[in-house]
Amino acid sequence: MKKVNLIVVLALIFTTTIFGQKTFTLTSKDLGGEASKIQEFNGFGCSGENQSPQLSWKNAPEGTKSFAVTMYDPDAPTGSGFWHWVVFDIPANTNELVTNSGTKSNLLPKGAVQSVTDYGIKGFGGPCPPKGHGFHQYIITVYALKTDKLGTDENTNPAVVGFNLWNQTLAKASIMAYYKR
């Protein structure tokens, strides 16, 4: 009986090791569940540093030709949420965006494009929920895309970018941060 149990355990370990999938994963060294004054927008009644967080990802699916990153607040009192960051055409050999690359575009990988946000600016626009509105969730998503160029430009609004992302996505991974004022 012990020999049969040992064989079953070894078989389970072997099949898990051989056939186990590695999941597409997004992490950040700058965010630990909550955004801070470092990420908070500077404007619109907010006085933060407006620095985009460091982001890194791993285990992109086979066939990935580029990446895109978005930051979205579904809790904004607009009826349609609020897009804080839209960057795409990130080369496939990239697996990190460094801190503040959304504000200082010279820190972005060559070829990456940042389009307009709901603030009406190009690049990162940090959290700035209305005072007393409670915690808002900020969903940061990296998309592994099946095209090297999304076919949009820096003037494309987030809804159109989102449509193109939906059509070209192989996989996506998200993290969430909360913030209130």
Side-chain angles (χ1 to χ4, degrees):
M1 187 66 165
K2 287 182 181 181
K3 191 173 189 177
V4 171
N5 286 340
L6 179 62
I7 292 171
V8 170
V9 169
L10 289 175
L12 284 172
I13 291 170
F14 177 76
T15 56
T16 302
T17 303
I18 298 297
F19 299 109
Q21 284 188 300
K22 294 180 179 179
T23 59
F24 187 39
T25 305
L26 174 63
T27 59
S28 175
K29 295 176 186 172
D30 295 340
L31 296 173
E34 282 192 49
S36 70
K37 283 294 248 188
I38 294 170
Q39 290 86 37
E40 183 186 80
F41 191 61
N42 190 337
F44 234 63
C46 289
S47 59
E49 296 179 33
N50 198 48
Q51 290 188 15
S52 61
Q54 178 276 346
L55 301 171
S56 56
W57 52 90
K58 62 183 180 180
N59 301 323
E62 190 174 322
T64 299
K65 295 183 179 177
S66 70
F67 296 98
V69 171
T70 62
M71 185 168 119
Y72 175 70
D73 173 5
D75 300 318
T78 63
S80 61
F82 199 91
W83 292 97
H84 288 263
W85 196 17
V86 181
V87 57
F88 50 87
D89 294 352
I90 301 168
N93 63 352
T94 303
N95 65 359
E96 179 182 29
L97 296 181
V98 298
T99 301
N100 209 21
S101 62
T103 308
K104 296 186 178 193
S105 58
N106 64 322
L107 297 176
L108 282 173
K110 186 176 178 156
V113 177
Q114 296 187 101
S115 68
V116 293
T117 66
D118 284 339
Y119 284 122
I121 62 170
K122 295 171 185 150
F124 180 78
C128 184
K131 281 187 179 179
H133 203 254
F135 281 103
H136 282 217
Q137 56 184 325
Y138 296 88
I139 303 166
I140 301 170
T141 303
V142 61
Y143 301 81
L145 304 175
K146 55 187 171 185
T147 184
D148 58 343
K149 299 289 182 195
L150 196 56
T152 54
D153 64 30
E154 65 181 9
N155 297 309
T156 306
N157 72 52
V160 174
V161 172
F163 176 80
N164 284 291
L165 289 174
W166 176 81
N167 195 35
Q168 296 295 330
T169 298
L170 293 168
K172 61 184 181 176
S174 298
I175 58 175
M176 193 175 324
Y178 292 89
Y179 194 67
K180 74 174 183 174
R181 292 192 310 141

